[in-house]
Each structure stands twice: as C-alpha cells, then as structure tokens.
Amino acid sequence: MSGTMRKIHRRHYNCAGLTLVELMIALVLSMLLMTGVLTIFASTKTTSKLQAGLATVQENGRHALHLLVRDIRGAGFGGCAGMETTITNVIADDPPMDDLNSDVVVSGINDFAAADDYTDTTKKYDAVLGTDVIRIRGAGDGLAGLVGNTVPVNANIQTTVIKNMFEAGDILMITDCEGTDVFRATNVSHGSGKTTVAHSQAKNSSNNLSKPYDKDAFLMAFRSNAYFIKDTGRTNRVGQPIRALYWRDETRESWTSADDQELVDGIEDMQITYGVDGDGNGMVDKFVDADGIEPTHSWADVLAVKVSLLVSSVENAAEAPASYRYVGVTTVPVDANDMQLRQEMTSTVAIRNRVD
C-alpha cells in the first residue's frame, strides 16, 4: 500500500464514531444520572416548600401573639396604677363597649355567633363563627402633661404641644391618679406654646369634668381595642379562603366592617380563656372561657388571659393533608387539596395592673 493510501486509511480510522453498543450504554448512563438529578431536585423542592411553610407559621404566629400579649398586658392602665384604683367619670357620647365600668378592662365573646354584638346592631363584628373575640381597654401609649389647670371644671384642657397626637372626636382620658374623666374631644388646636383640647356637650353628655385637674395631671388617648378572626376575602393558590387576625378601634364614633384592620394572615382560629381569682387572694384559681365569667365571677376577677391561636401556612406546604392538634383535639383536613401546615401557638399573660 502506498504512503498516500496509508495516510487516508489512518485518517478514516481516527475519525470513526461510537458504535451502537457504546451509544446505548452512554444513553442508559445519562438517563440514570438525569433520574438522580431530578430526584434530588424534587426532594429539595419538597423540603424547601415544607421549610417555607413552617417559617410562615412560626413568623405569623409569633407576630400575632406579640400584638395580643402586648395589649393584654397593659389592659386597665390608667397612667398610674390600674383604672380600678381611681374613680372614673364618663361623659363621652357613644362610649366604646357595652360597659365602661373601670372593672371591665378586658372582656370577650366565646364562640362567636352571628347574633353577637356589644352595643347596637350597627356595630356587630364580622368574625368567623365559632372563634373568640377579646376586647381590651385602658390608656394609650402616649401622654401629655398639663400646662394649665382646668378650673372651672368646664374649662378647656391645656397641654404641652404634641401635634397629631389628639384629634377632634377622639376619646381621651385625664387623670391625676385620684380621679379620671373620660370624654370626647370636640376641638383640638395648637398655638401659644400649648395644645388646647375642648370637651363641649356637642359630643359629651356634659361639658363638666368631675373635678378640676392641675399640673400634676396628664392627658392620654383612651384605647378600646377588639381582636377577632375574620375572612380576608382572598384565597390561596388552590382557592382556599384565607383568614386573618383583625383589629378594631372601638373608640371611633362610627365605622363599617371595611374599617376593620387586618393584622396577620394565616390565623384561622382564636380561643381565649381567662384566669380568675375566685376567693380574692390575688392568685388565679382557674381558667374559664367568656361564658364562664358570669354569674359566678365578674370581669373584675380576671388576672390573666390565655390565648390559643391556630396558625396556618396559608399556602399548601405538605405533600398530603397534614393532621394538627388544637385545643386538645386532633384534626385531619377532609379536603384532599388542603395540604397546609397548621400549628397551635399559645401564650398566657398576666394583666400587670391587677397583679402585684
């Protein structure tokens, strides 16, 4: 064979492709490798979705409990000790809740029913049936010192200048730790280095406070907050309704359900029990729901509150319907498409103004 032919033969040999057997082996190995990669990817995706669901449950539950615990802990705060320690005079028109007695600094509704309301038919809650409602009263966070006294008792109240802290229509309270008056502000103005708050009969039963207040007194917003579970009107990716913890400012003169403020979504249920002191020794004897307060006890006997929330992941996070335990009952979702994670989160908080 000539040198030229040998070169051509060698070139053809060097450029030869895979045999059929080699190709089939390569395809099988590739499929095995791809199967492993897809398995790892699916497992990672499942784990990631599960972890995201757990994180949502933990974050939402902790945030909801923080809001509730903070407000409950301060129930009955009146600027000094609890509101019960002072004589409270209420002249505000349309006061919040059905009872402004200073003993009722916390109250609630057990297993909300459609007929439940607390003042009149225009102020019903739009809560999820069977969930609990809690109402908390006391002074707001901020306070203003007086720069002039209120002699005579119908005089406007003059405080240090704090703009946007009070507005006309707000329910306010003034106290010197010996007496407390609760009224609606009819006008708030600023000038001459002070803020002037009027309390005329336009929004009060009287323009007279119960007593004159001097510079040792201070003025605060009066808060009356309600917390309850409500349907947001939204749905998750598989069409399931989303519930949330809502808040209502009960000191407002008027509102509709559209004024209710959503705080934390994924809160599906709230059950509340109240620690009562039945023998007057300053210690909790037992926990009862709102229906168990009267007539055996009164709201003045409540020293602590236990809140139990059912928190969900909002979106599906499991591979199958996941059972959960809430207030002693284990439940398995009956909807095959419901693969949300759920967890009970509980906190027991003492009402500071009632515990020594």
Side-chain angles (χ1 to χ4, degrees):
M1 181 181 295
S2 66
T4 301
M5 291 298 295
R6 282 197 297 271
K7 289 180 180 179
I8 293 173
H9 179 74
R10 189 181 298 113
R11 188 180 301 119
H12 285 176
Y13 178 79
N14 292 338
C15 293
L18 295 173
T19 66
L20 179 60
V21 173
E22 291 173 329
L23 182 60
M24 292 179 66
I25 292 173
L27 287 174
V28 170
L29 292 175
S30 298
M31 290 176 63
L32 291 175
L33 181 61
M34 184 60 67
T35 300
V37 170
L38 291 175
T39 300
I40 294 173
F41 174 77
S43 177
T44 301
K45 183 178 180 181
T46 299
T47 302
S48 177
K49 186 167 70 170
L50 181 64
Q51 290 177 338
L54 290 172
T56 298
V57 169
Q58 291 293 316
E59 181 180 356
N60 287 358
R62 288 174 179 172
H63 184 44
L65 281 178
H66 170 75
L67 295 173
L68 287 163
V69 167
R70 180 179 181 274
D71 211 358
I72 293 169
R73 184 178 290 126
F77 176 64
C80 304
M83 291 174 58
E84 303 94 335
T85 62
T86 63
I87 300 174
T88 302
N89 177 57
V90 181
I91 61 174
D93 284 345
D94 193 23
M97 299 172 58
D98 47 3
D99 188 358
L100 252 177
N101 187 300
S102 60
D103 286 343
V104 187
V105 300
V106 61
S107 64
I109 298 173
N110 181 55
D111 293 338
F112 179 80
D116 285 329
D117 69 277
Y118 57 96
T119 48
D120 57 55
T121 56
T122 64
K123 296 183 178 180
K124 289 180 180 292
Y125 296 109
D126 192 17
V128 174
L129 300 182
T131 63
D132 286 0
V133 177
I134 186 169
R135 299 175 292 187
I136 304 161
R137 301 196 303 109
D141 293 331
L143 58 86
L146 271 62
V147 296
N149 60 32
T150 61
V151 178
V153 291
N154 63 350
N156 294 337
I157 300 171
Q158 298 175 353
T159 75
T160 51
V161 178
I162 306 180
K163 292 186 177 181
N164 302 320
M165 184 173 179
F166 307 129
E167 296 180 358
D170 287 350
I171 291 187
L172 307 178
M173 59 188 297
I174 184 171
T175 183
D176 60 4
C177 299
E178 294 181 356
T180 300
D181 279 86
V182 179
F183 63 92
R184 279 198 187 274
T186 53
N187 185 63
V188 178
S189 59
H190 309 282
S192 302
K194 60 188 176 184
T195 295
T196 302
V197 180
H199 48 89
S200 72
Q201 284 185 269
K203 294 183 179 179
N204 297 283
S205 60
S206 170
N207 63 345
N208 292 332
L209 303 178
S210 63
K211 56 177 286 185
Y213 290 91
D214 213 327
K215 294 181 181 180
D216 59 343
F218 38 88
L219 184 68
M220 299 166 290
F222 180 87
R223 84 180 193 282
S224 181
N225 299 330
Y227 296 90
F228 51 95
I229 307 301
K230 182 176 176 179
D231 191 333
T232 65
R234 305 189 303 273
T235 59
N236 62 9
R237 292 187 181 94
V238 295
Q240 298 162 333
I242 298 174
R243 297 179 181 179
L245 176 67
Y246 274 76
W247 169 80
R248 173 179 289 181
D249 177 4
E250 296 190 319
T251 65
R252 295 181 58 167
E253 294 180 273
S254 63
W255 68 83
T256 66
S257 60
D259 296 318
D260 295 335
Q261 296 188 26
E262 180 182 340
L263 298 178
V264 187
D265 66 3
I267 312 301
E268 295 191 340
D269 198 352
M270 178 169 66
Q271 296 295 317
I272 298 176
T273 54
Y274 303 87
V276 295
D277 173 15
D279 54 15
N281 66 352
M283 300 180 65
V284 172
D285 298 323
K286 61 180 178 180
F287 280 85
V288 298
D289 59 31
D291 292 337
I293 296 294
E294 297 175 343
T296 306
H297 305 283
S298 72
W299 290 108
D301 296 329
V302 176
L303 302 182
V305 177
K306 181 179 180 180
V307 180
S308 295
L309 301 178
L310 179 60
V311 189
S312 78
S313 58
V314 182
E315 298 293 344
N316 284 346
E319 293 300 300
S323 64
Y324 60 91
R325 190 169 179 81
Y326 182 58
V327 293
V329 178
T330 300
T331 303
V332 179
V334 295
D335 183 357
N337 294 320
D338 185 352
M339 290 175 278
Q340 297 182 51
L341 299 176
R342 292 177 174 86
Q343 181 180 342
E344 178 179 11
M345 301 189 72
T346 302
S347 183
T348 302
V349 54
I351 299 176
R352 285 182 174 175
N353 294 288
R354 287 184 171 171
V355 178
D356 294 333

